[in-house]
Amino acid sequence: MSFFIGAPPLTPVIKTAAVTDIARLNTIFAPLHVLLTPLQEAGMVKVGTVRGAEINAIKSRLIDAYPSVLPETCTAIALLALMQEEKDTASLIAMIMAIVGGLETHLKIVQNDVKFVCSQSFDNAKNLGKTVPTVKVVVDEISAEFHGRVNAKKVAAAYDIAPSATIAIVGVITDSIFTNVGLTVLAILNENGLIADTINVHPGTGVHIPTRWTKITVANLSATAQGHFCVFMQA
């Protein structure tokens, strides 16, 4: 059962102001943009909750007490600045993701309401088609084109995953596509599988679920941003 929700409108004034400010933000952050090579991407260490705690322990219990252990290429002051930069970057991402989260909810509401209006219009057209042959032709065309296919086609289930969270998904269709539709890197692993078999899925990409991986564990490798993914489930 569908229903009309209604949301505060994204007015042209809001859109114009947002586009202007986003363009300004892009200009501000442009000097920070770095294009990593595939080798660099693969070799980067993923820092989550556990590694973050280890880093803090090394800093507070070793480096602060014995600064001579620092590599020659870095000073204590430089390390402090780097760690502050890490916090500042994570804070900015969290602020931006809060805006993105609000927009995603707004988009879902608007999409729902558009579908509601169009569905109601389609139902009205069915009734009108009983007396207007030309309308019935169009209704039949749309029914044949979309409704039959939608009923026959398996639709992927969408999931959200909190920062640094891990969730178990039961009843996955193997050899189907697992798609990362968020902005964080996700890791998937078969239940009780070997850590070495973990598959990392980067934003905007998808991977095939291996055979027998009907129950998987999904981990969000970002400590600051919510993840989003889609996976095909058994009936």
Side-chain angles (χ1 to χ4, degrees):
M1 178 179 178
S2 62
F3 49 89
F4 191 92
I5 298 176
L10 176 62
T11 64
V13 173
I14 295 176
K15 178 185 175 183
T16 299
V19 168
T20 300
D21 288 342
I22 290 171
R24 188 179 299 117
L25 282 175
N26 280 326
T27 300
I28 292 172
F29 291 127
L32 303 180
H33 291 177
V34 176
L35 293 177
L36 297 173
T37 66
L39 183 61
Q40 288 174 321
E41 186 74 37
M44 288 181 65
V45 175
K46 306 299 188 297
V47 179
T49 303
V50 175
R51 282 202 174 115
E54 179 187 6
I55 289 170
N56 289 331
I58 293 172
K59 169 66 171 58
S60 62
R61 289 149 61 182
L62 281 177
I63 295 176
D64 288 351
Y66 308 96
S68 61
V69 301
L70 278 166
E72 295 180 357
T73 55
C74 186
T75 64
I77 294 177
L79 177 59
L80 283 174
L82 195 60
M83 296 180 76
Q84 183 61 50
E85 184 176 350
E86 177 188 8
K87 294 178 181 178
D88 292 343
T89 303
S91 176
L92 287 171
I93 291 174
M95 293 169 64
I96 292 172
M97 289 307 298
I99 297 173
V100 171
L103 285 174
E104 286 179 338
T105 299
H106 184 88
L107 177 60
K108 290 178 181 178
I109 294 173
V110 174
Q111 287 176 328
N112 173 84
D113 292 350
V114 169
K115 180 61 171 65
F116 175 85
V117 171
C118 289
S119 294
Q120 291 293 308
S121 299
F122 189 72
D123 290 341
N124 293 337
K126 288 180 181 179
N127 292 326
L128 182 61
K130 295 176 182 178
T131 56
V132 182
T134 53
V135 173
K136 185 177 186 306
V137 169
V138 177
V139 168
D140 290 344
E141 288 177 349
I142 293 174
S143 295
E145 184 177 355
F146 295 102
H147 295 178
R149 293 182 182 178
V150 171
N151 291 335
K153 184 177 181 180
K154 178 74 70 173
V155 177
Y159 291 88
D160 298 328
I161 180 168
S164 299
T166 300
I167 59 176
I169 309 293
V170 182
V172 176
I173 297 178
T174 60
D175 201 39
S176 63
I177 298 295
F178 176 104
T179 307
N180 184 348
V181 295
L183 300 176
T184 70
V185 178
L186 304 177
I188 59 175
L189 179 64
N190 187 29
E191 180 188 27
N192 300 322
L194 299 175
I195 297 298
D197 294 332
T198 300
I199 301 174
N200 287 341
V201 189
H202 293 273
T205 64
V207 297
H208 279 275
I209 299 294
T211 303
R212 294 189 294 276
W213 283 34
T214 57
K215 182 175 182 181
I216 62 174
T217 298
V218 182
N220 184 358
L221 301 185
S222 171
T224 57
Q226 186 178 52
H228 311 278
F229 63 91
C230 295
V231 64
F232 289 90
M233 303 298 295
Q234 299 171 6

